[in-house]
Amino acid sequence: MDCAVCGTRDSSLVFRIPFADAPGGASAVVQCKQCGLRRLDPRPGPTKIGGYYGAAAGDGYNAYVGRKRSPKKQAIWNFLRDGYSHPAQQSILSRVASPLTGLFASWAFDINVALDRREGLSALEVGAGYGDILIYLRERGCQTAGTDLSEAAVAKGREYGIDMRYGHLKDVGLPSGSFDIAIMCHSLEHVPQPRVELAELSRLVKKGGRLHIAVPNGHAVRMDQDQLEWAHLSHPLHFWYFDGENLARLLHEYGFEPVIGPKTTTRHHALNAWRDQFRKRGVGPATRVLLNFLKASMSRSDGGDVLRVVAERR
């Protein structure tokens, strides 16, 4: 399999993954020797990958489960988002609290969209799941549309009033230059050909519009340390593990210039990681894992679990 960024095949092994459906019973994460993009190789073909999503959905796959928050929790969630987004109808309390709530939102949510009190903006999410981000944006005055390859997810999004389209982005018939905002929240790593998605987004996003992307960070400290136990490995659903440099390079090729980021974040607190390791291996091994993580994190400023970038269509 060729690299999605530079097109070369030459790679080095990062770590192996036991996988019964792969040739020889194992797959692997490998790293491109030219641009550094990490990828799954080999990976499931198009006839098999759908079955893995079905299994994940049966376990409560978070993209497809719908909103489970209580009305009170949802109101808090929206209040925090408002602190960053500044919607047109933002309450006085939200405006006063926004220096704090906006900072929290920028850490807690992988995608944050600055509305800056504008109404009537058009927003598209690719791989929208049940449309959680789009529901928020619609309630804040945006025109919204989403795509997904799960019929159940599309049906759920439509229940919330989102214009959801079933199918691949290039096949759903959206008009050129029709969106101010495009979102790929943990979906770019799932697509077999990222260039196809970005080329289509380059057609769909207006000049001056913005593309918001969140993906697992291929340069994450936890990826190197935890390997098979890394939460964002999500094997075999994730095909690509971008880092900031190769993601920015790919975006540039399709007319998108980063204006925020690329930056990384880790929301899983180190003490929570220590607790999980303590339960599995005991106090000594857990403490060693914690200290190694803290040491590596101090020397790697771009080592968070999630990579985020906002890029403008030039």
Side-chain angles (χ1 to χ4, degrees), residues 95-247:
R95 292 183 188 182
V96 171
S98 62
L100 180 60
T101 56
L103 183 63
F104 180 84
S106 67
W107 170 80
F109 304 126
D110 288 342
I111 297 292
N112 288 283
V113 178
L115 299 176
D116 297 328
R117 299 182 175 82
R118 295 171 293 171
E119 292 186 289
L121 297 176
S122 52
L124 167 70
E125 184 174 6
V126 182
Y130 60 88
D132 200 31
I133 298 173
L134 294 176
I135 296 166
Y136 169 80
L137 292 175
R138 182 178 61 83
E139 292 173 347
R140 267 56 183 173
C142 294
Q143 302 170 28
T144 55
T147 70
D148 205 276
L149 296 178
S150 163
E151 291 180 335
V154 169
K156 177 61 69 174
R158 288 173 178 170
E159 288 180 17
Y160 286 108
I162 304 300
D163 175 14
M164 290 289 290
R165 313 287 182 96
Y166 172 74
H168 294 283
L169 179 61
K170 62 182 179 61
D171 298 326
V172 298
L174 294 168
S176 298
S178 52
F179 294 99
D180 302 290
I181 301 160
I183 298 167
M184 294 195 78
C185 183
H186 291 283
S187 56
L188 188 63
E189 67 268 29
H190 290 257
V191 300
Q193 297 177 302
R195 287 180 174 274
V196 173
E197 304 298 313
L198 292 175
E200 188 66 3
L201 286 169
S202 182
R203 181 183 72 83
L204 293 171
V205 176
K206 300 174 183 179
K207 290 184 178 180
R210 290 190 169 188
L211 171 60
H212 299 250
I213 291 180
V215 291
N217 179 23
H219 200 225
V221 169
R222 292 191 187 280
M223 185 181 197
D224 290 333
Q225 292 187 344
D226 297 349
Q227 297 190 351
L228 297 178
E229 297 180 2
W230 186 45
H232 291 277
L233 183 65
S234 295
H235 174 265
L237 302 179
H238 290 175
F239 294 164
W240 313 101
Y241 303 95
F242 295 94
D243 62 33
E245 184 175 341
N246 51 50
L247 180 57

Side-chain angles (χ1 to χ4, degrees), residues 10 12 21 32 36-37 48 62 74 82 108 119 123 140 143 155 158 167 216 240 267 271 303 312:
D10 196 14
S12 58
D21 287 345
C32 176
L37 175 65
K48 283 191 174 183
N62 61 359
Q74 186 62 49
D82 286 348
E119 292 186 289
R140 267 56 183 173
Q143 302 170 28
R158 288 173 178 170
W240 313 101
R267 289 195 303 273
L271 292 180
E312 187 170 292

